[in-house]
């Protein structure tokens, strides 16, 4: 049975704070029966430096000459009706003790899963694209047929159930592509690493935190601190505002970061 003290501790960490009130990002580890986390404050300067680069260049491929820039890398759409995006930095040390800073953006950036200078997603992009190509077309076709029917009709309800079943099947298949590693050398599929009832929510593993930590593990880097911030027009609920620093989300990242950070000394 989980003690009341542990419940209180869980609530504090879920809110993104440790015992001393410092903002942290992490999650519960079922193996160690404790929270593993990284502080935000030491990485704050690097987050502000990244904000400055985004502000100055207005694109995420600022390393390239303007003539070589990819239009999809412009940050302008983030200030439109679609809203902004989370960005993150992870401060690490390599095996020789040299400092290294990793950068990530959440999910896709204007259709791009990868961009030079930014960490990769948790899956092979080509594998994902091959997996979803046909099922997504079928789901879209079902949606087009439903648009021609009355919602109260039997045919509409039948197609609705069929589309829902295909969507759930596709989501399960997509989750199987995600393999999470930790600092103990262990690897688990997302569905097993996820700590919570039911299937992982859509987008779990696509946030900055899991991507940054996975990259660090793959390349033998030791994380020391992590900071994430929101860039662009505020979200619909106004819980994320332009330039605001935030801990990793509890609903998705908080359910897998505990596993990923396990074994980090």
């Amino acid at each position: 049975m989980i003690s009341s003290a542990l419940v209180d501790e869980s609530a504090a960490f879920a809110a993104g704070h440790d015992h001393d009130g410092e903002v942290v990002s992490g999650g519960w580890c079922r193996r160690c029966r404790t929270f593993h986390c990284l502080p935000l404050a030491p990485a704050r300067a690097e987050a502000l430096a990244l904000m400055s680069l985004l502000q100055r260049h207005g694109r995420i491929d600022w390393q390239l000459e303007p003539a070589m820039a990819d239009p999809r890398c412009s940050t302008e759409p983030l200030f439109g009706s679609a809203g902004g995006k989370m960005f993150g930095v992870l401060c690490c040390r390599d095996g020789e003790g040299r400092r290294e800073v990793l950068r990530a953006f959440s999910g896709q950036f204007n259709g791009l899963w990868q961009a030079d200078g930014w960490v990769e997603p948790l899956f092979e992009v080509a594998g994902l694209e091959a997996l979803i190509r046909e099922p997504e077309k079928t789901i879209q076709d079902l949606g087009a047929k439903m648009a021609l029917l009355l919602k109260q009709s039997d045919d509409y309800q039948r197609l609705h159930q069929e589309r829902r079943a295909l969507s759930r099947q596709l989501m399960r298949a997509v989750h199987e592509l995600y393999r999470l590693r930790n600092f103990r050398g262990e690897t688990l599929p997302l569905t097993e690493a996820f700590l919570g009832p039911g299937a992982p929510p859509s987008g779990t593993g696509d946030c900055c935190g899991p991507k940054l930590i996975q990259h660090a593990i793959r390349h033998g880097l030791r994380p020391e601190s992590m900071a994430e911030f929101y860039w662009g027009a505020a979200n619909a609920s106004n819980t994320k505002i332009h330039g605001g620093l935030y801990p990793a989300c509890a609903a998705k990242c908080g359910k897998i970061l505990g596993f990923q950070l396990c074994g980090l000394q």
Side-chain angles (χ1 to χ4, degrees):
M1 180 179 294
I2 299 176
S3 68
S4 59
L6 182 56
V7 171
D8 292 340
E9 182 182 29
S10 302
F13 275 85
H17 298 83
D18 67 5
H19 296 295
D20 299 321
E22 181 179 6
V23 179
V24 296
S25 291
W28 175 258
C29 175
R30 61 163 63 94
R31 172 174 180 158
C32 301
R33 304 296 296 171
T34 189
F35 279 88
H36 300 310
C37 60
L38 292 170
L40 180 151
R44 184 175 184 273
E46 294 296 340
L48 294 176
L50 179 52
M51 291 186 207
S52 179
L53 287 169
L54 295 175
Q55 180 68 38
R56 186 186 318 152
H57 297 283
R59 54 192 177 96
I60 64 170
D61 60 348
W62 63 79
Q63 304 93 335
L64 301 177
E65 293 295 327
M68 301 292 292
D70 186 335
R72 294 174 297 176
C73 291
S74 170
T75 59
E76 184 176 352
L78 300 181
F79 296 88
S81 58
K85 176 176 289 293
M86 291 295 293
F87 291 82
V89 295
L90 184 68
C91 298
C92 310
R93 299 281 177 180
D94 66 13
E96 303 298 321
R98 293 182 294 260
R99 192 168 183 269
E100 186 167 340
V101 179
L102 307 178
R103 301 186 182 102
F105 52 79
S106 63
Q108 291 177 289
F109 192 94
N110 295 336
L112 295 172
W113 281 110
Q114 294 178 277
D116 289 343
W118 302 84
V119 302
E120 70 283 355
L122 271 62
F123 52 84
E124 294 293 333
V125 175
L128 175 69
E129 292 176 345
L131 173 68
I132 68 176
R133 188 175 299 119
E134 289 303 320
E136 280 198 339
K137 183 178 184 304
T138 301
I139 291 169
Q140 290 170 0
D141 290 344
L142 288 171
K145 292 178 181 178
M146 290 167 59
L148 302 175
L149 301 170
L150 294 174
K151 290 186 177 181
Q152 297 81 5
S153 68
D154 291 341
D155 285 341
Y156 181 94
Q157 295 301 321
R158 176 178 57 80
L159 293 175
H160 176 68
Q161 293 300 324
E162 183 179 350
R163 187 177 68 167
R164 176 184 291 180
L166 283 173
S167 296
R168 289 176 175 173
Q169 181 180 353
L170 177 58
M171 183 58 66
R172 287 194 295 270
V174 168
H175 283 162
E176 286 299 314
L177 296 180
Y178 289 67
R179 290 291 188 273
L180 299 180
R181 302 183 185 183
N182 67 15
F183 289 92
R184 292 186 183 273
E186 300 168 335
T187 301
L188 283 180
L190 174 64
T191 50
E192 293 184 29
F194 183 78
L195 186 65
S202 176
T204 303
D206 293 333
C207 298
C208 299
K211 292 165 69 173
L212 288 164
I213 294 169
Q214 185 95 334
H215 183 94
I217 294 170
R218 286 173 174 169
H219 293 83
L221 301 173
R222 178 172 55 85
E224 295 182 331
S225 62
M226 181 169 67
E228 298 183 47
F229 63 89
Y230 187 83
W231 197 253
N235 61 358
S237 60
N238 211 39
T239 56
K240 296 284 196 307
I241 61 172
H242 179 60
L245 286 162
Y246 301 95
C249 65
K252 298 177 183 179
C253 299
K255 306 297 186 182
I256 58 177
L257 287 179
F259 169 79
Q260 286 188 286
L261 291 171
C262 186
L264 175 65
Q265 301 300 323

